[in-house]
Amino acid sequence: MGAGREEGEGAVEEEATGYEVGIVVPKLSRAAAAGAAEDCLARLVRELEGAGLLVERVRGVPAEFIKLAAPMGTLGRAAAEMQMKKLTYIGMELQFEWDQVAAFVRQPDGSLFSWRERYCCFRYLIYGIVNKTNSEITLKFDDKEFHWKQNESLLTRLESEGVVKLVFPLHDEIKRKQLLRNWALNWLDFTWQPIDEIYSYFGTKIATYFAFLGMYTRWLFFPAVFGLATQLIDFGSLQWLVLPAFFIFVISWAVFFLQFWKRKNSALLARWGINCSLSEYKSMGNELDSLGDALTIEEKKFSDVSAEKRKLQRNEWFGVLLRIRNNAIIVLAIICLQLPFELAYAHLYEITETEVMRYLLTAIYLVAIQYYTRIGGKVSVNLIKYENNQGEESSSASLVYKVFGLYFMQSYIGLFYHASLYRDILALRQVLIQRLIVSQVLENLIENSIPYLKYSYKKYIAVHKKKHERESPSGKSVRLSTRVEKEYLKPSYTASIGAELEDGLFDDFLELTLQFGMIMMFACAFPLIFCFAALNNATEIRADALKLLVMLKRPVPRAAATIGAWLNIFQFLVVMAICTNCLLLVCLYDAEGNWRIEPGLAAILIMEHALLLIKFGFSHFVPEEPAWVKANRVRYVAQAQNVCSKQLLKSISKLDAKLD
């Protein structure tokens, strides 16, 4: 048994990561590098090597870089010191122990730690370098002296002094090129994606986004085919039934799509070994501390418990009032500032006669509203700081709802204006086509061109500065020769409203929800809109993949097991779609394009209530997790209860022995 364990640990020790983290420091001149001014960086490198990391220094054009890699043993010991929780083969998340490594579930690619776990270990190691001596240490950098205090993090100190500019994750060139070949540049199957490889390289949150985008795009082909059939096939006397049938099909499609996504998400998490254990496991783990702790909790005074209860209730309602206040600010901003702007655009669009001018007006409007709404998003970020949100997930959800409210008005108020005031179905279809085409072209152009322009500008500045340095011989060309300096100059994957709470997936999910709302709420006005959406999403998959692999830094991995608040927004848009499409069906149009209300109003209202019932009823027909995931959970619960029972019995026996 011991020999087998030693062999297992030896096999793990042989594993090693590539260079996965980079530290950026200012570049010293050759003369300064030879003197005492390098003491600061030399001390940093020595401490990093002492922590068990593999260090390589690279002198680039814009700065100097310290690349870090780690043997698996170093990461394992760091995970144990961090008391990292990992899934075991009995389904429980337990504190990681390096000498019990065989008990923990491995990743889909066979590695012991996920990318997020490795990055957390790297940060723990590099920020965990502290001054353990009994006195301050004087460090020098570029003729500047500063003191490294006792028990102070060296990297934190260097960041405050401006010595360390940035700590960022590095791309793995082998895996990056493999993903480029098999994913980003693979157009043979429009929707196929190596989700497990994406998870291993980028982490859970980005992999979940691409899994959702791929499934959403595949499912779009069903209403796209139906919508195409409504335009190409003459149904004769049954033509009046086509749009109601299409409407019912689309609502049912959306409900089933969201339910099957929940199943797929559950299956992915089970395959990745994430969140497989039930919340009861954590409560079971709390019971294993000791019987003494339990007795101490029992002896608390009732008055103390009541006071704590009142404090929690007061904080809870205070947080609710803060959220109500902030939401009211957003609503008032929409009504007072954005609504007049939107109505003015809709009016100008209506009085514009030529199609070219309308396309130009739409393009100008979409560009202007992007910057206007980003201001509202930044205001939302600042408002959330004053809310009593419990954790990062709650803050992110609050931000999602506020920003979506702004973009909801921006995206749909003009369409509602055309639909309700002018009652011109042909004009509404034209607006939908222009909005979809212009918005998608502009978004893809901005999304892919701005990172390249930022990189090109930073590269030009760095090369231009290098040419004017004395150490650069005249006439000699200057270029970026190393991969790490090219990555450093690339933009980070951040949200347009700021990187305080969210990464770049905020913008990508926002784009999807706005598209979903447009195609769902106006499905009866223009059934072909699903064809446009399917084609756009098929290209969006590859464009987003290229953006992450080529044009941006490797994103910092984030812990997110689901799409979070965005799922609630998708479900809200389904309900909105029922209401808006019923309104469109009530207002039937004649040959001249003038809408009128027919006696079929009662039938439409009945259909609306029936579809609402379908929406909430169908969601219970499809289980949210596959049977094999549920079976695994049941088995894990039984195993966890067995382990907990044995440990509790041992604790009771030890307590009885002490009492005797």
Side-chain angles (χ1 to χ4, degrees):
M1 185 84 173
R5 180 183 299 171
E6 290 177 2
E7 290 177 3
E9 291 180 9
V12 174
E13 282 281 6
E14 292 176 359
E15 297 181 17
T17 66
Y19 290 104
E20 294 190 303
V21 175
I23 300 176
V24 185
V25 297
K27 186 176 59 173
L28 296 175
S29 64
R30 301 281 183 189
E38 198 183 4
D39 287 348
C40 177
L41 298 183
R43 184 60 182 256
L44 175 61
V45 171
R46 188 164 65 252
E47 293 287 348
L48 290 171
E49 292 175 341
L53 296 170
L54 305 178
V55 181
E56 179 183 343
R57 295 180 66 172
V58 177
R59 187 177 177 84
V61 172
E64 186 172 343
F65 305 92
I66 301 174
K67 296 165 57 178
L68 303 177
M72 195 56 61
T74 301
L75 295 179
R77 284 183 284 273
E81 293 176 8
M82 294 169 59
Q83 299 182 351
M84 181 183 291
K85 299 286 187 179
K86 281 187 64 65
L87 187 69
T88 61
Y89 283 104
I90 65 170
M92 294 181 65
E93 288 186 350
L94 299 178
Q95 183 177 321
F96 181 78
E97 295 291 344
W98 178 241
D99 57 350
Q100 300 293 335
V101 65
F104 296 93
V105 175
R106 286 183 169 263
Q107 299 299 307
D109 61 353
S111 59
L112 179 60
F113 296 107
S114 67
W115 164 229
R116 178 178 174 273
E117 291 169 339
R118 295 199 307 275
Y119 189 72
C120 289
C121 290
F122 271 105
R123 289 187 64 86
Y124 173 80
L125 289 169
I126 62 180
Y127 282 95
I129 298 173
V130 297
N131 182 4
K132 297 181 180 180
T133 64
N134 297 325
S135 61
E136 295 182 351
I137 299 176
T138 302
L139 299 176
K140 295 182 180 180
F141 181 81
D142 199 15
D143 297 330
K144 181 175 68 172
E145 291 188 359
F146 54 90
H147 299 286
W148 182 20
K149 300 178 182 179
Q150 291 178 265
N151 299 319
E152 182 183 26
S153 171
L154 176 59
L155 204 71
T156 303
R157 184 63 179 174
L158 295 180
E159 286 178 335
S160 64
E161 295 291 339
V163 177
V164 171
K165 294 182 177 180
L166 182 67
V167 178
F168 68 103
L170 298 175
H171 278 289
D172 185 318
E173 276 304 288
I174 297 177
K175 295 180 180 178
R176 189 185 72 89
K177 290 180 179 179
Q178 184 179 0
L179 283 172
L180 268 175
R181 182 174 59 255
N182 298 334
W183 176 35
L185 301 178
N186 181 15
W187 289 88
L188 296 179
D189 189 340
F190 287 142
T191 60
W192 179 86
Q193 300 177 91
I195 295 297
D196 287 340
E197 287 79 0
I198 298 172
Y199 160 73
S200 299
Y201 192 73
F202 287 114
T204 311
K205 192 172 185 179
I206 290 179
T208 302
Y209 163 74
F210 279 104
F212 180 84
L213 177 59
M215 181 176 175
Y216 173 45
T217 306
R218 286 192 297 272
W219 277 63
L220 273 175
F221 285 111
F222 298 104
V225 171
F226 197 161
L228 187 62
T230 61
Q231 304 299 309
L232 298 180
I233 300 176
D234 184 8
F235 293 92
S237 59
L238 299 178
Q239 188 69 33
W240 64 278
L241 288 175
V242 172
L243 284 182
F246 179 72
F247 173 39
I248 295 173
F249 172 81
V250 165
I251 297 299
S252 303
W253 166 84
V255 172
F256 279 115
F257 160 66
L258 294 177
Q259 283 302 114
F260 275 96
W261 161 248
K262 295 177 185 178
R263 286 175 59 86
K264 182 178 180 63
N265 192 21
S266 176
L268 286 174
L269 296 180
R271 195 164 77 215
W272 296 338
I274 299 173
N275 203 27
C276 291
S277 57
L278 296 176
S279 59
E280 289 85 352
Y281 292 174
K282 297 182 180 179
S283 62
M284 290 178 188
N286 295 332
E287 297 174 4
L288 299 179
D289 295 336
S290 66
L291 292 178
D293 293 339
L295 292 174
T296 303
I297 295 173
E298 292 289 338
E299 293 174 356
K300 281 189 174 181
K301 293 182 179 180
F302 179 76
S303 59
D304 294 338
V305 175
S306 300
E308 184 179 0
K309 180 180 178 181
R310 287 194 299 270
K311 181 180 178 181
L312 291 174
Q313 288 179 339
R314 185 168 60 251
N315 291 338
E316 178 186 9
W317 286 108
F318 181 68
V320 171
L321 291 176
L322 285 177
R323 285 192 289 273
I324 292 174
R325 182 204 65 180
N326 293 343
N327 292 335
I329 292 175
I330 296 298
V331 171
L332 288 175
I334 292 174
I335 295 174
C336 299
L337 300 176
Q338 190 164 358
L339 187 59
F341 180 79
E342 300 290 344
L343 294 178
Y345 158 73
H347 178 70
L348 289 175
Y349 181 90
E350 195 65 30
I351 63 176
T352 303
E353 297 181 356
T354 62
E355 289 299 317
V356 175
M357 291 301 298
R358 285 184 172 181
Y359 272 100
L360 181 61
L361 178 64
T362 302
I364 295 173
Y365 158 77
L366 290 175
V367 171
I369 203 64
Q370 285 290 329
Y371 291 96
Y372 177 82
T373 315
R374 285 180 184 178
I375 296 174
K378 293 182 184 296
V379 172
S380 300
V381 171
N382 291 326
L383 289 174
I384 286 172
K385 294 178 181 178
Y386 300 99
E387 292 183 359
N388 190 19
N389 291 307
Q390 300 298 321
E392 183 179 350
E393 183 177 353
S394 177
S395 299
S396 298
S398 180
L399 178 65
V400 166
Y401 296 137
K402 289 178 175 60
V403 176
F404 178 77
L406 293 171
Y407 276 86
F408 182 87
M409 292 295 295
Q410 172 254 312
S411 299
Y412 307 128
I413 189 65
L415 299 175
F416 290 142
Y417 180 81
H418 283 285
S420 60
L421 184 61
Y422 291 95
R423 297 187 177 185
D424 189 344
I425 193 71
L426 298 179
L428 181 59
R429 287 183 177 180
Q430 200 169 30
V431 172
L432 284 171
I433 294 173
Q434 290 175 351
R435 279 288 188 96
L436 198 63
I437 293 176
V438 175
S439 65
Q440 296 301 330
V441 170
L442 279 177
E443 286 174 2
N444 288 328
L445 184 63
I446 294 173
E447 187 177 352
N448 295 300
S449 62
I450 288 183
Y452 177 76
L453 293 175
K454 287 182 177 179
Y455 169 73
S456 300
Y457 175 74
K458 289 182 179 180
K459 179 181 177 181
Y460 169 78
I461 294 297
V463 172
H464 184 73
K465 184 178 179 181
K466 176 71 174 179
K467 287 181 179 180
H468 288 77
E469 291 180 357
R470 293 181 180 179
E471 64 181 76
S472 179
S474 58
K476 184 178 179 180
S477 62
V478 178
R479 60 188 182 88
L480 304 181
S481 57
T482 61
R483 187 75 207 175
V484 64
E485 56 186 330
K486 294 178 181 178
E487 290 186 31
Y488 166 64
L489 294 177
K490 292 179 180 178
S492 300
Y493 187 48
T494 56
S496 58
I497 59 174
E500 290 88 349
L501 292 174
E502 286 290 336
D503 54 15
L505 285 179
F506 185 92
D507 293 335
D508 292 329
F509 269 119
L510 181 62
E511 183 181 348
L512 281 184
T513 54
L514 294 176
Q515 182 202 78
F516 184 81
M518 184 176 294
I519 65 177
M520 289 295 299
M521 290 194 294
F522 301 97
C524 290
F526 187 46
L528 276 179
I529 197 171
F530 288 90
C531 296
F532 287 99
L535 292 175
N536 175 78
N537 288 1
T539 59
E540 184 75 17
I541 292 174
R542 311 303 165 186
D544 286 348
L546 283 171
K547 177 180 66 177
L548 287 172
L549 291 170
V550 176
M551 290 183 286
L552 299 174
K553 290 186 180 75
R554 189 177 185 180
V556 174
R558 295 177 182 259
T562 65
I563 64 175
W566 297 109
L567 182 61
N568 297 331
I569 291 179
F570 276 99
Q571 293 173 334
F572 162 77
L573 290 173
V574 173
V575 177
M576 286 292 298
I578 295 175
C579 301
T580 56
N581 282 281
C582 284
L583 177 63
L584 292 175
L585 288 177
V586 166
C587 300
L588 300 176
Y589 56 93
D590 58 18
E592 287 76 23
N594 298 318
W595 293 7
R596 63 178 185 273
I597 298 179
E598 293 287 344
L601 175 61
I604 299 298
L605 292 177
I606 293 174
M607 181 189 300
E608 179 182 23
H609 287 75
L611 286 173
L612 288 171
L613 181 63
I614 288 174
K615 192 268 178 219
F616 294 105
F618 279 14
S619 60
H620 297 285
F621 292 158
V622 180
E624 292 189 3
E625 58 182 7
W628 66 270
V629 175
K630 187 179 296 184
N632 284 345
R633 287 204 299 107
V634 172
R635 185 175 72 253
Y636 291 156
V637 168
Q639 292 173 342
Q641 288 176 342
N642 186 31
V643 172
C644 291
S645 299
K646 290 181 179 179
Q647 292 191 9
L648 285 173
L649 287 174
K650 289 180 181 178
S651 300
I652 294 172
S653 300
K654 291 179 181 179
L655 183 60
D656 289 340
K658 290 181 180 180
L659 293 175
D660 292 340

